[in-house]
Amino acid sequence: MIEGPKDTGNRQDTIQRIQVGVVGLVAVLLLVSVANFVLQRASDEQSALEEIQAEAAGSARELVTDSPSVPAPAPAEPLAELGITPAPVAEDEVMQPVPVVPGKRSQVVPDLEPDPKLEAPMDQER
Protein backbone atom coordinates (compact mmCIF):
# COMPACT_ATOMS: atom_id res chain seq x y z
CA MET A 1 0.00 0.00 0.00
CA ILE A 2 2.25 2.67 -1.25
CA GLU A 3 0.57 6.00 -1.99
CA GLY A 4 3.63 7.98 -3.11
CA PRO A 5 2.69 8.95 -6.68
CA LYS A 6 -0.84 10.03 -5.74
CA ASP A 7 0.48 12.26 -2.93
CA THR A 8 3.04 13.88 -5.21
CA GLY A 9 0.33 14.80 -7.73
CA ASN A 10 -1.75 16.58 -5.08
CA ARG A 11 1.29 18.48 -3.84
CA GLN A 12 2.18 19.69 -7.35
CA ASP A 13 -1.43 20.67 -7.95
CA THR A 14 -1.52 22.65 -4.70
CA ILE A 15 1.77 24.43 -5.49
CA GLN A 16 0.51 25.28 -8.99
CA ARG A 17 -2.72 26.73 -7.53
CA ILE A 18 -0.74 28.85 -5.06
CA GLN A 19 1.52 30.13 -7.86
CA VAL A 20 -1.47 31.03 -10.04
CA GLY A 21 -3.11 32.85 -7.09
CA VAL A 22 0.03 34.84 -6.28
CA VAL A 23 0.56 35.76 -9.95
CA GLY A 24 -3.11 36.83 -10.15
CA LEU A 25 -2.79 39.03 -7.06
CA VAL A 26 0.37 40.66 -8.42
CA ALA A 27 -1.30 41.24 -11.79
CA VAL A 28 -4.35 42.88 -10.18
CA LEU A 29 -2.11 45.05 -7.96
CA LEU A 30 -0.07 46.13 -10.98
CA LEU A 31 -3.21 46.89 -12.99
CA VAL A 32 -4.71 49.01 -10.19
CA SER A 33 -1.42 50.88 -9.72
CA VAL A 34 -1.16 51.71 -13.42
CA ALA A 35 -4.79 52.84 -13.56
CA ASN A 36 -4.27 55.05 -10.49
CA PHE A 37 -1.16 56.59 -12.06
CA VAL A 38 -2.96 57.31 -15.35
CA LEU A 39 -5.99 58.83 -13.60
CA GLN A 40 -3.80 60.98 -11.37
CA ARG A 41 -1.88 62.35 -14.33
CA ALA A 42 -5.09 62.98 -16.27
CA SER A 43 -6.77 64.94 -13.47
CA ASP A 44 -6.45 68.70 -13.20
CA GLU A 45 -6.09 68.65 -9.42
CA GLN A 46 -2.71 69.07 -7.85
CA SER A 47 -1.46 66.31 -5.63
CA ALA A 48 -0.46 67.07 -2.07
CA LEU A 49 3.21 66.93 -3.02
CA GLU A 50 2.68 69.38 -5.88
CA GLU A 51 0.81 71.78 -3.56
CA ILE A 52 3.65 71.70 -1.02
CA GLN A 53 6.20 72.32 -3.77
CA ALA A 54 4.16 75.26 -5.11
CA GLU A 55 3.90 76.83 -1.64
CA ALA A 56 7.63 76.38 -1.07
CA ALA A 57 8.41 77.98 -4.44
CA GLY A 58 6.13 80.93 -3.63
CA SER A 59 7.73 81.54 -0.24
CA ALA A 60 11.20 81.18 -1.78
CA ARG A 61 10.23 83.77 -4.40
CA GLU A 62 9.15 86.16 -1.64
CA LEU A 63 12.45 85.70 0.15
CA VAL A 64 14.40 86.38 -3.03
CA THR A 65 12.37 89.48 -3.96
CA ASP A 66 12.88 91.09 -0.52
CA SER A 67 15.73 93.54 -0.52
CA PRO A 68 18.73 91.80 1.07
CA SER A 69 20.53 95.10 1.71
CA VAL A 70 17.78 96.36 4.07
CA PRO A 71 17.44 94.01 7.04
CA ALA A 72 14.02 93.63 8.61
CA PRO A 73 13.73 95.46 11.93
CA ALA A 74 13.86 93.17 14.92
CA PRO A 75 10.57 93.13 16.81
CA ALA A 76 10.66 94.93 20.12
CA GLU A 77 8.27 92.48 21.77
CA PRO A 78 8.21 89.24 19.76
CA LEU A 79 5.98 87.44 22.28
CA ALA A 80 3.51 90.32 22.31
CA GLU A 81 3.35 90.26 18.50
CA LEU A 82 2.47 86.59 18.66
CA GLY A 83 -0.20 87.33 21.27
CA ILE A 84 1.45 85.29 24.00
CA THR A 85 2.09 88.11 26.45
CA PRO A 86 0.52 91.55 26.65
CA ALA A 87 2.49 94.37 25.17
CA PRO A 88 3.61 97.11 27.51
CA VAL A 89 1.51 100.25 27.10
CA ALA A 90 3.15 103.65 26.90
CA GLU A 91 2.26 106.04 29.72
CA ASP A 92 0.62 108.53 27.39
CA GLU A 93 -1.72 105.78 26.09
CA VAL A 94 -2.92 104.69 29.53
CA MET A 95 -6.57 105.66 30.06
CA GLN A 96 -7.34 107.36 33.33
CA PRO A 97 -10.58 106.39 35.11
CA VAL A 98 -13.38 108.97 34.94
CA PRO A 99 -13.99 110.51 38.35
CA VAL A 100 -17.52 110.04 39.70
CA VAL A 101 -19.21 113.13 41.12
CA PRO A 102 -21.69 112.14 43.90
CA GLY A 103 -24.53 114.49 42.93
CA LYS A 104 -24.19 114.13 39.16
CA ARG A 105 -25.58 111.26 37.12
CA SER A 106 -22.88 109.42 35.18
CA GLN A 107 -23.02 108.65 31.49
CA VAL A 108 -25.60 105.98 30.67
CA VAL A 109 -25.54 103.80 27.61
CA PRO A 110 -29.04 103.90 26.07
CA ASP A 111 -28.99 100.22 25.09
CA LEU A 112 -28.56 99.20 28.71
CA GLU A 113 -31.45 101.23 30.10
CA PRO A 114 -34.82 99.49 30.33
CA ASP A 115 -37.44 100.62 27.86
CA PRO A 116 -39.78 103.08 29.66
CA LYS A 117 -42.73 101.90 27.51
CA LEU A 118 -42.58 98.44 29.04
CA GLU A 119 -44.98 98.05 31.93
CA ALA A 120 -43.92 94.56 33.05
CA PRO A 121 -40.74 92.60 32.62
CA MET A 122 -40.69 90.46 29.50
CA ASP A 123 -40.12 87.19 31.34
CA GLN A 124 -43.38 87.49 33.24
CA GLU A 125 -46.83 87.16 31.74
CA ARG A 126 -49.49 89.79 32.40
Side-chain angles (χ1 to χ4, degrees), residues 58-81:
S59 63
R61 222 176 284 121
E62 291 174 3
L63 291 175
V64 171
T65 57
D66 288 345
S67 174
S69 62
V70 179
E77 292 290 330
L79 294 178
E81 288 183 5

Side-chain angles (χ1 to χ4, degrees), residues 7-21:
D7 193 24
T8 306
N10 282 340
R11 176 173 276 168
Q12 287 177 350
D13 189 38
T14 304
I15 290 175
Q16 184 180 7
R17 287 181 183 204
I18 291 173
Q19 287 175 346
V20 169

Side-chain angles (χ1 to χ4, degrees), residues 43-107:
S43 71
D44 293 336
E45 295 180 11
Q46 288 184 341
S47 67
L49 182 61
E50 292 171 341
E51 289 177 6
I52 293 171
Q53 289 174 345
E55 289 176 10
S59 63
R61 222 176 284 121
E62 291 174 3
L63 291 175
V64 171
T65 57
D66 288 345
S67 174
S69 62
V70 179
E77 292 290 330
L79 294 178
E81 288 183 5
L82 293 174
I84 297 173
T85 59
V89 180
E91 289 185 25
D92 57 343
E93 294 179 6
V94 175
M95 297 182 67
Q96 300 296 328
V98 178
V100 178
V101 179
K104 190 175 180 185
R105 186 173 177 193
S106 62
Q107 182 180 6

